Amino acid sequence: MLYLGSQLPKAAPVDWQQRFAKLAQQSKQPLLQQYYAAGMVDGRTAIANTPLLALDLETTGLDPRCHGIVSIGLVPLTSQRVQSSQAQQWLVKPRFALTSSSVKIHRITDSALANAPDLLDILPEFLAAIAGKVLLVHCADIERQFLAAALNVRLRETLQFPVIDTMALEGRLYRAKPLTLWQKLRKQQQPSIRLAASRSRYGLPPYLPHHAVTDALACAELFLAQLTHRFPITTAVNELWD
Amino acid sequence: MSENELEIEQLEILSFLKRHSPFQELSAAEQLNLAQQIDVGYFRAGSDILAYNAPLDALYLIRSGVVETFRRNGDLYNRLSEGGIFGEQGLLRGKKVRFPAKALQDTLIYLIPAAAFEQLFDQNEFFADYVEVGDAERRAEPRIEKAANHQLMSAKVSELLSRPPLLLTAAASIQQAAISMREAGESCLLLTNPAQPEQIIGLITDRDLRNRVVAEALNTANPVAEIMTEQLVTVQASQFVFEAMLLMLRHNLHHLPVLAQQRPVGIIAIADIIRHESNNSLFIVSSIYQQQSVSDLAQLKSAVQACFVRMVNEDANSQMIGSAMATIGRSFKQRLLELAEQTLGPPPIPYCFLALGSMARDEQLIVTDQDNALVLDNSYDPELHDAYFAKLASFVCDGLAECGYPLCSGDIMATNPRWRQPLHVWQGYFQDWLSKPTAEKLLHSNIFFDLDGVWGNTDWAKQLNQQITQSAPGSKTFLASMTRNALRRTPPLGFFQDFVMEEDGRQNNSLNIKRRGTAPFADLLRIYALSMGSQARSSYQRLAVLSERNLLPKGRAEDLRDAYEVIAMTRIRHQAAALQQQQTPDNNVEPGQLSEFERKHLKAAFLVLANAQKFLKFHFQA
């Protein structure tokens, strides 16, 4: 996936369990009612006991209003293991034309998508896969905005869900304090919190980016490393998600 | 899986498998299937990955980072990096962890489920061999198999025979023999016992007709028995070609009668073997005897090297190569001594020239010091005789140096007066080493316990060897002192990246494969041979004796033989590679030059050697 700039973590914690219960009532779409009705873990649940699912989307560009989703990758994990053997992946035909610049990035072409379904056709499967799980994403805004926009076009309703953002977790280390004058004078820069740079700080190998399953795997590995180095597995999930 | 869902593409996992043994050798379908079954774990530097005896459900493949595995007693067993695997021994033995593992750096692990591991182990021979190599007791050595498949190794003498031998009764005249050779177009004729036509009693060649008949103006009506070569060396048709070759080398023969069920079935000539893709060491030996000066002999140096390289490329085993090189080295000595006697005149008293060390053990290589000594008749009087033998020793040792055998840095050469002594002094030396041994005294003299007479009165060499084999088995202190010295040189633990790993975790850039491998091995086998009073001198013979006598736990002698071959061939290939690149061959192997496969085998071989050394220590209470 493609990344925007840095995002600071939001201040107000959301009670996602409560919100899911409410959304299950409010939603008009049976598919989404089902998704919300599957529920969400209590925010106080230890991360060790939280079902997690790394998600990555490949898109035709950066603007959810005029770009669409071309592929989705999901990789489940626990606080101990990335269950890459259980990965799932879909190619979907976007309702916007592919742009040559995005094709260069994710290498998914029109011909590859010729027989791909619309997102709507795979939505039941996708929602079933993510139901009850806490999603893990590197740079959550993209995934959130694109899924919301895609569903809004198709179902006239958006999709809300909690996300653990590995980029935000990395940002807590490096974006919490602005650079000091001394650092600026010495032309020091904030360390990058993009996926590859973050991974390398934990001794994780470089992976070729912009392939949905690989990016989801890369994100899941990064989260394991972040947990191992920085958060005890008893950490409540609401300290990590937003 | 719905039709909308694609085959999952684990591109990174797949491309990693394609870069590392034993996965890169799998078929594309096996790789794809495996990539989809892998899960991932992450371990922080310093954390435990596997605890001893814990249940094990996966093979661990290091994607990034460094891991150390340990023995039960806490000793370092192995250090592994990207592409390294661990847990295979545990999976093969009850799915419990055998070697606990710890992350030395932050480490990402690809976990291959036990079921997938077992499937590959059962269905893919290469994979099974690869993961079993870590297991000293069940090691497979594909190079040995490869050598066995080679024609020279597997071909029987019978395959070289194209026609029945030409036979004639020994009662026939010289002229009749010549006529029958002319008619058959043969250059060699076998002569049979007039009373028993099936029994061959001699042989003549074209050369004999020239040298023994024409040149001597002998009457051709005389019986051919007068000029025939008797006491024939023969070979059985069922023996291997390389055995025939070794026989011809050893006895400097050009023709070898072949027998089957005691009957002559053919003759093989050097040319037959050459034609049969053999090596050219026979040519070298015969040309050594034809050279008329030291400088002529020195010209053969490059031919010897070419012969060595050729044998390696033809997958000869270390025994064949070591034996051929020792024969060549012995021939150089013998010819130099002949030339020395021509130059200096006949010796004033009888003497015996000794070969020591690797040449005596029949396992010489290309980088080898000359180790030799002189045993003189007991009538030796320094005033009268030493000037001659000092000159003789210089002639031979300097000559050997010119022919590519550097002077011995430890001065164990006939030029050293201490090692140029009458028999009774030598007997005194051995008496002292054997009955009043100290580790220090024996440190520089253990080379004398591999001793062979190459020229002159070689009976004295036999007497000295008898003295050794009679006294050594009973002398516990001697064996213990020898053992203490042998344990001064130990093999390394293995390899890590491009470094040699030591027991204490230190890393070195290169490995002296002689000092850390073949030499401690030879030391170990020598001690066992001495303790058994065995006359066996080559490491192969000593291994065979060890195997027969059941001195070691079952299967251990066979492990030792395989391990010796792995280490010896690594050294041999290293030297051959240097020669092919026009470099000076040495014994320093850099791990970077070894394939992953070679390293794995070498590590396993070092382990066998290290264990054998421990056993040796226990055995002789050193």
Side-chain angles (χ1 to χ4, degrees):
Chain A
M1 66 152 291
L2 301 161
Y3 309 118
L4 294 175
S6 66
Q7 298 289 321
L8 288 169
K10 294 188 184 84
V14 181
D15 183 342
W16 281 103
Q17 197 174 41
Q18 220 174 25
R19 186 181 281 190
F20 265 48
K22 203 186 286 175
L23 287 166
Q25 303 292 319
Q26 288 172 355
S27 174
K28 301 202 171 43
Q29 291 289 344
L31 263 180
L32 298 180
Q33 286 166 4
Q34 233 178 331
Y35 169 69
Y36 292 124
M40 184 43 62
V41 295
D42 188 319
R44 290 164 296 182
T45 309
I47 193 69
N49 301 323
T50 306
L52 299 164
L53 191 59
L55 163 74
D56 184 74
L57 303 179
E58 292 303 318
T59 60
T60 60
L62 291 171
D63 186 346
R65 288 167 306 176
C66 55
H67 296 129
I69 299 169
V70 292
S71 75
I72 302 173
L74 290 177
V75 174
L77 68 148
T78 67
S79 60
Q80 302 299 314
R81 286 278 179 281
V82 180
Q83 292 149 334
S84 35
S85 58
Q86 311 299 315
Q88 286 178 278
Q89 172 183 301
W90 295 271
L91 280 191
V92 289
K93 198 190 286 186
R95 293 187 179 180
F96 305 96
L98 293 182
T99 61
S100 62
S101 59
S102 75
V103 169
K104 272 184 205 151
I105 288 169
H106 49 60
R107 300 176 296 274
I108 297 172
T109 60
D110 277 317
S111 61
L113 292 173
N115 296 315
D118 188 86
L119 178 67
L120 197 57
D121 300 326
I122 63 127
L123 202 58
E125 272 180 73
F126 173 71
L127 290 174
I130 67 170
K133 309 265 173 70
V134 175
L135 292 177
L136 182 73
V137 167
H138 196 77
C139 187
D141 280 6
I142 289 271
E143 268 70 14
R144 272 206 165 117
Q145 289 169 13
F146 268 87
L147 280 174
L151 264 68
N152 197 25
V153 166
R154 289 165 178 81
L155 301 174
R156 299 278 150 219
E157 222 180 278
T158 61
L159 186 68
Q160 296 185 46
F161 48 87
V163 172
I164 296 176
D165 185 345
T166 50
M167 188 166 88
L169 294 180
E170 212 52 17
R172 287 188 197 177
L173 283 182
Y174 300 106
R175 297 290 184 267
K177 282 183 283 184
L179 291 173
T180 61
L181 179 62
W182 174 245
Q183 284 173 319
K184 283 181 190 158
L185 283 174
R186 297 189 62 188
K187 298 233 166 80
Q188 282 191 2
Q189 290 184 344
Q190 294 277 21
S192 168
I193 52 173
R194 296 177 61 156
L195 186 56
S198 302
R199 283 172 58 88
S200 75
R201 280 193 291 273
Y202 294 93
L204 293 168
Y207 282 175
L208 271 179
H210 307 303
H211 172 266
V213 168
T214 304
D215 281 356
L217 173 66
C219 169
E221 290 175 357
L222 173 60
F223 182 65
L224 274 201
Q226 289 173 326
L227 274 187
T228 309
H229 284 264
R230 295 168 48 198
F231 304 100
I233 54 168
T234 50
T235 307
V237 67
N238 64 13
E239 289 178 39
L240 301 173
W241 76 20
D242 66 278
Chain B
M1 194 181 284
S2 92
E3 56 180 331
N4 291 335
E5 208 170 319
L6 295 172
E7 177 98 338
I8 301 302
E9 303 168 294
Q10 288 292 8
L11 300 180
E12 280 295 336
I13 297 177
L14 186 61
S15 81
F16 187 74
L17 294 179
K18 285 179 188 295
R19 293 198 299 272
H20 294 274
S21 280
F23 310 103
Q24 63 184 5
E25 289 83 2
L26 301 177
S27 71
E30 286 172 317
Q31 289 168 339
L32 194 65
N33 184 273
L34 190 59
Q36 290 171 1
Q37 297 187 59
I38 284 174
D39 284 343
V40 183
Y42 180 86
F43 300 89
R44 191 178 177 168
S47 65
D48 290 323
I49 301 177
L50 293 174
Y52 180 72
N53 227 17
L56 186 65
D57 61 359
L59 177 71
Y60 284 57
L61 167 62
I62 302 173
R63 176 58 184 86
S64 63
V66 176
V67 171
E68 287 186 335
T69 58
F70 299 89
R71 288 175 197 287
R72 237 172 122 177
N73 64 8
D75 286 353
L76 183 61
Y77 177 70
N78 206 350
R79 184 180 294 167
L80 300 155
S81 61
E82 185 176 311
I85 53 174
F86 57 100
E88 71 271 25
Q89 280 108 331
L91 287 177
L92 291 171
R93 288 206 185 79
K95 296 194 191 170
K96 294 230 166 112
V97 174
R98 271 169 57 89
F99 298 102
K102 206 171 186 155
L104 195 66
Q105 294 174 3
D106 291 341
T107 296
L108 190 69
I109 299 283
Y110 285 171
L111 297 145
I112 295 166
F117 170 83
E118 280 156 14
Q119 195 184 359
L120 283 175
F121 189 82
D122 289 341
Q123 294 174 6
N124 187 306
E125 203 176 337
F126 178 86
F127 184 86
D129 281 351
Y130 187 95
V131 298
E132 273 197 326
V133 161
D135 189 343
E137 292 114 59
R138 302 179 66 197
R139 229 152 11 83
E141 172 46 274
R143 281 198 183 270
I144 291 173
E145 281 168 33
K146 197 172 152 207
N149 290 336
H150 192 271
Q151 280 207 309
L152 192 64
M153 279 296 292
S154 58
K156 298 282 176 71
V157 168
S158 54
E159 292 172 36
L160 294 189
L161 299 176
S162 51
R163 50 186 186 270
L166 186 58
L167 298 172
L168 190 69
T169 166
S173 71
I174 294 170
Q175 189 185 10
Q176 281 171 322
I179 290 169
S180 93
M181 287 167 80
R182 183 184 68 192
E183 283 172 357
E186 293 282 355
S187 60
C188 181
L189 171 68
L190 293 183
L191 299 160
T192 57
N193 185 336
Q196 278 176 283
E198 293 288 292
Q199 186 199 8
I200 57 164
I201 56 171
L203 167 157
I204 61 163
T205 65
D206 279 352
R207 220 174 131 114
D208 297 327
L209 294 174
R210 181 189 73 205
N211 294 353
R212 297 176 188 172
V213 182
V214 182
E216 303 284 331
L218 204 67
N219 187 341
T220 55
N222 288 6
V224 68
E226 276 184 24
I227 61 154
M228 71 183 181
T229 304
E230 292 171 275
Q231 291 173 341
L232 294 182
V233 177
T234 60
V235 68
Q236 298 296 319
S238 57
Q239 281 182 279
F240 288 107
V241 172
F242 89 89
E243 294 178 287
M245 190 186 83
L246 291 179
L247 272 177
M248 295 171 94
L249 274 171
R250 196 165 301 138
H251 300 282
N252 194 20
L253 300 172
H254 297 86
H255 296 88
L256 196 58
V258 182
L259 304 181
Q261 281 109 39
Q262 324 266 290
R263 292 180 188 175
V265 291
I267 297 170
I268 52 174
I270 290 178
D272 295 321
I273 292 185
I274 300 302
R275 236 177 276 125
H276 198 262
E277 271 301 334
S278 163
N279 66 83
N280 51 17
S281 53
L282 292 155
F283 278 141
I284 295 174
V285 169
S286 61
S287 58
I288 285 172
Y289 290 105
Q290 288 157 20
Q291 304 309 313
Q292 297 304 319
S293 70
V294 176
S295 59
D296 288 349
L297 279 173
Q299 302 278 317
L300 292 175
K301 190 174 150 185
S302 60
V304 174
Q305 294 179 342
C307 163
F308 176 80
V309 171
R310 185 169 169 191
M311 289 188 88
V312 175
N313 289 342
E314 289 181 355
D315 278 326
N317 63 23
S318 69
Q319 183 180 6
M320 294 167 65
I321 296 170
S323 174
M325 290 298 124
T327 302
I328 289 171
R330 198 175 286 127
S331 304
F332 271 117
K333 269 187 190 159
Q334 290 169 344
R335 183 62 188 151
L336 281 166
L337 283 156
E338 276 179 343
L339 293 174
E341 288 184 19
Q342 279 173 20
T343 311
L344 304 172
I349 52 169
Y351 71 94
C352 171
F353 200 86
L354 297 183
L356 306 165
S358 62
M359 184 188 284
R361 287 199 308 274
D362 226 21
E363 51 199 40
Q364 202 165 30
L365 296 189
I366 208 84
V367 184
T368 181
D369 280 5
Q370 46 170 299
D371 298 303
N372 52 57
L374 265 173
V375 182
L376 306 169
D377 190 80
N378 278 339
S379 64
Y380 172 71
D381 177 346
E383 301 271 309
L384 293 174
H385 307 131
D386 195 46
Y388 177 90
F389 289 107
K391 276 189 216 152
L392 181 98
S394 298
F395 188 97
V396 175
C397 294
D398 293 347
L400 283 171
E402 277 190 58
C403 295
Y405 303 87
L407 297 174
C408 171
S409 52
D411 207 16
I412 296 182
M413 291 182 294
T415 45
N416 182 342
R418 194 168 165 215
W419 310 130
R420 191 172 68 236
Q421 292 291 338
L423 181 62
H424 68 87
V425 173
W426 278 103
Q427 285 163 335
Y429 287 163
F430 280 101
Q431 170 76 13
D432 180 50
W433 291 328
L434 284 158
S435 63
K436 283 174 273 173
T438 63
E440 209 190 0
K441 215 190 276 183
L442 291 176
L443 188 57
H444 300 293
S445 54
N446 70 1
I447 195 163
F448 293 100
F449 290 88
D450 295 331
L451 160 164
D452 188 28
V454 292
W455 185 256
N457 196 342
T458 51
D459 265 354
W460 294 338
K462 283 189 191 135
Q463 285 177 34
L464 291 174
N465 272 321
Q466 270 163 11
Q467 184 186 356
I468 295 168
T469 48
Q470 274 162 16
S471 311
S475 173
K476 275 191 178 165
T477 342
F478 169 75
L479 293 171
S481 307
M482 290 287 276
T483 300
R484 263 202 300 287
N485 287 337
L487 297 178
R488 294 163 71 109
R489 298 190 283 198
T490 55
L493 182 64
F495 303 100
F496 173 69
Q497 289 168 351
D498 285 344
F499 298 103
V500 181
M501 282 272 298
E502 302 298 342
E503 288 277 355
D504 58 5
R506 268 186 309 121
Q507 299 180 355
N508 289 315
N509 293 327
S510 75
L511 165 74
N512 186 314
I513 187 83
K514 181 182 179 189
R515 203 158 52 80
R516 308 295 301 280
T518 49
F521 231 121
D523 287 348
L524 178 120
L525 295 172
R526 179 187 307 114
I527 293 168
Y528 275 118
L530 288 169
S531 77
M532 295 182 286
S534 164
Q535 292 271 9
R537 211 151 48 227
S538 84
S539 293
Y540 311 95
Q541 289 168 352
R542 286 170 173 171
L543 277 162
V545 173
L546 253 183
S547 189
E548 277 165 27
R549 305 270 181 105
N550 292 323
L551 208 61
L552 298 179
K554 199 169 186 301
R556 213 59 71 82
E558 289 70 28
D559 281 348
L560 275 175
R561 189 191 54 214
D562 289 353
Y564 182 81
E565 184 66 16
V566 169
I567 294 173
M569 282 313 299
T570 302
R571 183 175 168 209
I572 287 170
R573 280 195 298 271
H574 170 73
Q575 297 185 351
L579 286 173
Q580 278 177 303
Q581 289 158 24
Q582 319 273 316
Q583 290 164 355
T584 310
D586 60 24
N587 289 313
N588 288 317
V589 175
E590 287 169 21
Q593 300 164 336
L594 301 171
S595 72
E596 214 170 325
F597 204 76
E598 286 174 308
R599 290 186 199 196
K600 212 162 158 104
H601 277 92
L602 206 48
K603 182 189 153 54
F606 286 146
L607 185 65
V608 170
L609 173 56
N611 286 339
Q613 285 189 324
K614 282 177 196 143
F615 202 75
L616 183 81
K617 183 175 178 178
F618 159 80
H619 221 122
F620 298 108
Q621 303 293 320

